[in-house]
């Protein structure tokens, strides 16, 4: 399970880098094409490794959904727990010692309660997790408690609470199709943004946060998401195509915001990646960034476009 199983030292999360050197390697961030002869694109990604890992992750998700949608739940739990572990190690760069036991118990509780009991249970277990973190950390002493509690609450929200919306998607009778739709639309944002950004990107979107993310790449994300959203909603969920296109455009914006949030966190912490679990990508959180922000957006919009009956 990457190097996180052997040590909990902050340096193991990822090597600190100067804030100015922290770059966004997410799909859609590139502004020029080509490789450096080692399989790395000018967007900073080892493209063959990234493609291989992406295909492997997609195969795992599809395989877990093919037979019974409930099989995806343990995959989701493991992914969120690993993401929380990476976040915990990353924030230690800022001197925050997040108590992991109440965080991981809360994460599992949120994911399971959301699947079996719905959105009210997700909110309730998030509140109980916050209380558990407070009690756990104060019992360990008051020195630096406020700082550590703040870090733990952040990790409980991102990725744990946001991940709970994937459980809400999955809980519907057609939950496996909703998860597939969500993944397709969000991945379309990365693919479209990356392709347009590599070949057409000239105008940086947020140079202080992500110098390689361009407005042209964002336009490609929106276009690709709209097409995939329209086709996917009509074919998978028997929805109206134009509502799927609306969902796609909103998801493109949410995915971009998620990328920028992750970039700002990494710049603030002075790290390049959240980990090294996924070759060509970095840590698992480097892949979950846009997904986590998009999950509640897709869940809410599907209540409008494809209500659960």
């Amino acid at each position: 399970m990457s190097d996180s199983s052997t040590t909990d030292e902050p340096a193991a999360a990822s090597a600190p880098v100067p804030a100015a050197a922290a770059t966004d390697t997410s799909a859609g961030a590139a502004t020029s094409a080509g490789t450096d002869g080692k399989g790395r694109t000018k967007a900073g990604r080892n493209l063959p490794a990234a493609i291989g890992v992406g295909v492997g992750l997609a195969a795992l998700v599809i395989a877990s959904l093919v037979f019974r949608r409930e099989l995806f739940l343990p995959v989701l739990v493991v992914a969120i727990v690993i993401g929380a572990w990476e976040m915990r190690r990353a924030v230690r760069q800022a001197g925050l010692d997040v108590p992991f036991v109440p965080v991981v118990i809360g994460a599992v509780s949120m994911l399971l309660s959301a699947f079996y009991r719905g959105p009210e249970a997700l909110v309730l277990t998030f509140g109980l997790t916050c209380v558990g973190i407070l009690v756990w950390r104060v019992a360990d002493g008051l020195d630096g408690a406020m700082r550590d509690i703040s870090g733990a609450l952040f990790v409980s929200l991102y990725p744990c609470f946001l991940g709970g919306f994937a459980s809400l998607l999955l809980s519907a009778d057609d939950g496996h199709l909703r998860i597939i739709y969500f993944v397709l639309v969000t991945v379309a944002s990365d693919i479209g943004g990356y392709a347009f950004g590599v070949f057409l990107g000239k105008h940086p979107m947020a140079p202080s946060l992500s110098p390689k993310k361009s407005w042209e790449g964002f336009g490609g994300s929106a276009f690709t998401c709209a097409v995939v959203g329209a086709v996917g909603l009509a074919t998978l969920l028997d929805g109206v195509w134009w509502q799927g296109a609306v969902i796609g455009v909103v998801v493109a914006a949410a995915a971009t915001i998620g990328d920028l949030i992750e970039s700002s966190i990494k710049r603030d912490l002075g790290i390049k990646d959240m980990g090294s679990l996924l070759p060509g990508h970095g840590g698992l959180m480097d892949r979950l960034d846009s997904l986590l922000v998009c999950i509640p957006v897709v869940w809410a919009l599907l209540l409008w476009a494809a209500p659960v009956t």
Side-chain angles (χ1 to χ4, degrees), residues 1 58 91 99 107 139 143 170 216 223 254 261 275 282-283 301-302:
M1 193 176 72
V91 299
D143 186 29
L170 187 66
E216 291 81 2
F223 172 75
I261 289 173
L301 289 176
L302 284 182

Side-chain angles (χ1 to χ4, degrees), residues 2-275:
S2 183
D3 57 357
S4 62
S5 63
T6 59
T7 179
D8 193 35
E9 292 301 320
S14 58
V17 298
T23 59
D24 178 12
T25 59
S26 63
T31 57
S32 59
T35 65
D36 62 1
K38 298 180 180 179
R40 290 187 178 276
T41 66
K42 291 183 179 180
R45 175 183 295 192
N46 186 325
L47 194 56
I51 292 175
V53 169
V55 171
L57 291 176
L60 177 62
V61 170
I62 293 173
S64 66
L65 292 169
V66 157
F67 300 104
R68 288 184 61 88
R69 59 189 171 89
E70 291 85 355
L71 294 178
F72 179 72
L73 195 57
V75 175
L76 177 63
V77 169
V78 171
I80 295 300
V81 169
I82 292 176
W85 179 266
E86 290 183 345
M87 285 296 299
R88 182 207 184 203
R89 296 171 63 210
V91 299
R92 292 192 70 181
Q93 301 286 352
L96 306 179
D97 188 11
V98 172
F100 192 62
V101 172
V103 169
V104 73
I105 292 175
V108 174
S109 300
M110 282 185 270
L111 296 172
L112 295 180
S113 64
F115 179 78
Y116 289 107
R117 295 296 181 181
E120 296 84 359
L122 173 60
V123 174
L124 176 61
T125 49
F126 176 67
L128 293 175
T129 300
C130 295
V131 174
I133 289 170
L134 177 64
V135 173
W136 185 284
R137 181 58 185 84
V138 169
D140 198 34
L142 296 178
D143 186 29
M146 184 61 68
R147 177 191 61 212
D148 296 342
I149 290 171
S150 299
L153 294 179
F154 176 70
V155 175
S156 296
L157 173 67
Y158 180 85
C160 304
F161 176 74
L162 294 180
F165 284 89
S167 289
L168 294 178
L169 279 177
L170 187 66
S171 64
D173 290 339
D174 59 350
H176 59 299
L177 297 177
R178 291 171 184 263
I179 291 290
I180 292 174
Y181 178 76
F182 155 68
V183 172
L184 287 176
V185 176
T186 308
V187 170
S189 173
D190 273 359
I191 295 175
Y194 183 78
F196 277 70
V198 163
F199 294 104
L200 302 175
K202 295 183 182 299
H203 301 89
M205 175 182 287
S208 62
L209 287 179
S210 181
K212 295 181 179 180
K213 187 175 292 296
S214 67
W215 283 107
E216 291 81 2
F218 174 69
S221 292
F223 172 75
T224 309
C225 280
V227 172
V228 173
V231 174
L233 189 68
T235 57
L236 292 175
L237 300 172
D238 295 324
V240 181
W241 69 268
W242 67 264
Q243 291 180 317
V246 171
I247 293 175
V249 172
V250 176
V251 166
T256 301
I257 292 172
D259 286 340
L260 293 176
I261 289 173
E262 184 87 350
S263 295
S264 65
I265 293 172
K266 290 189 286 189
R267 280 185 173 273
D268 186 58
L269 296 175
I271 60 177
K272 184 178 185 295
D273 295 317
M274 287 295 182

